[in-house]
Amino acid sequence: MRAEALHTLPTSPRLGNPPVFFFLERKDAERILKTVQKEDPKAKVTTIPFTEAVAFVENKGVNFGGEFHVLPSPREIANANNVRLLGHDQAFLKLGKKLQSKDAYDMVPCFYEEKLASVIDGKPTVLAFLKYDDLQAVWEDQTAGVQGEVPEFSPKVLSFNELLDKQREPDTPNVLIVSSESFEDVEHLQ
């Protein structure tokens, strides 16, 4: 799984240590790149493993001289809001026309369906998806040949931060983060 990092180099004294933003989709990073390049023409998009992006964000840039944030995809925020509203819950994150608010920093939605839980290495494991379409595709694949009544699809959503916090609680099942990019990585390796 990869994350797209949009970063500026501290080449200008007035920029100081500018923040680094991680995106789950390259197109989101590239859409913002042109705006950032007005302030810093050397700004660029690079790709790093998702686990490294999470490590930067969790450590708040210690020893790296900057701020690190994951910005969610507007499409996945809309999907998260729809999932919450269908479940009669409050919106995941209220959106204006653009994601500009610091309220959106690190609010990456993770979608899951409790009925897709699995056992991996003898431990209960919840599959959490970074893209709603990936969750829906796996659900459809898993229920395609079911004889009789197909269970109701009841997706839920948590922010990535909430998911990390829950992982620290005792007796919490393992979580496996799944994305279509990780499927592509596995196919590429075969």
Side-chain angles (χ1 to χ4, degrees):
M1 191 176 326
R2 300 176 301 273
E4 307 302 331
L6 173 61
H7 58 87
T8 58
L9 303 173
T11 56
S12 165
R14 73 182 172 85
L15 290 177
N17 285 327
V20 174
F21 296 104
F22 298 106
F23 299 84
L24 298 178
E25 295 187 38
R26 188 170 192 89
K27 67 182 179 189
D28 292 332
E30 289 174 345
R31 185 176 21 127
I32 294 174
L33 178 61
K34 289 182 174 77
T35 303
V36 173
Q37 284 177 329
K38 290 176 185 173
E39 284 291 320
D40 182 0
K42 293 183 179 182
K44 63 181 181 177
V45 174
T46 56
T47 303
I48 66 169
F50 183 69
T51 53
E52 288 182 24
V54 170
F56 278 109
V57 171
E58 282 191 311
N59 291 317
K60 307 294 182 206
V62 174
N63 298 326
F64 298 107
E67 285 184 52
F68 299 86
H69 299 285
V70 179
L71 286 182
S73 161
R75 176 185 168 139
E76 297 311 325
I77 292 294
N79 285 334
N81 283 338
N82 288 337
V83 166
R84 287 268 177 99
L85 294 174
L86 287 172
H88 305 291
D89 294 326
Q90 67 182 7
F92 180 77
L93 181 66
K94 293 181 182 178
L95 284 181
K97 292 187 179 184
K98 293 184 178 182
L99 269 178
Q100 294 180 355
S101 169
K102 282 194 172 191
D103 293 339
Y105 284 3
D106 310 324
M107 287 293 295
V108 174
C110 293
F111 303 93
Y112 67 100
E113 164 51 83
E114 291 172 341
K115 295 177 210 82
L116 284 177
S118 187
V119 175
I120 298 176
D121 294 332
K123 295 183 179 182
T125 302
V126 174
L127 304 177
F129 296 80
L130 296 172
K131 296 179 182 177
Y132 179 79
D133 291 345
D134 291 345
L135 168 63
Q136 195 166 31
V138 169
W139 175 262
E140 289 170 2
D141 183 59
Q142 295 295 310
T143 58
V146 172
Q147 300 291 327
E149 189 175 331
V150 175
E152 182 180 346
F153 181 56
S154 303
K156 294 183 176 47
V157 64
L158 289 172
S159 76
F160 189 76
N161 289 343
E162 290 172 315
L163 195 64
L164 290 175
D165 289 343
K166 285 192 177 290
Q167 279 301 118
R168 294 180 184 107
E169 295 174 8
D171 301 325
T172 301
N174 288 336
V175 174
L176 177 63
I177 305 290
V178 183
S179 80
S180 50
E181 285 81 10
S182 57
F183 299 145
E184 291 169 11
D185 289 345
V186 169
E187 289 172 5
H188 179 71
L189 293 173
Q190 293 177 345

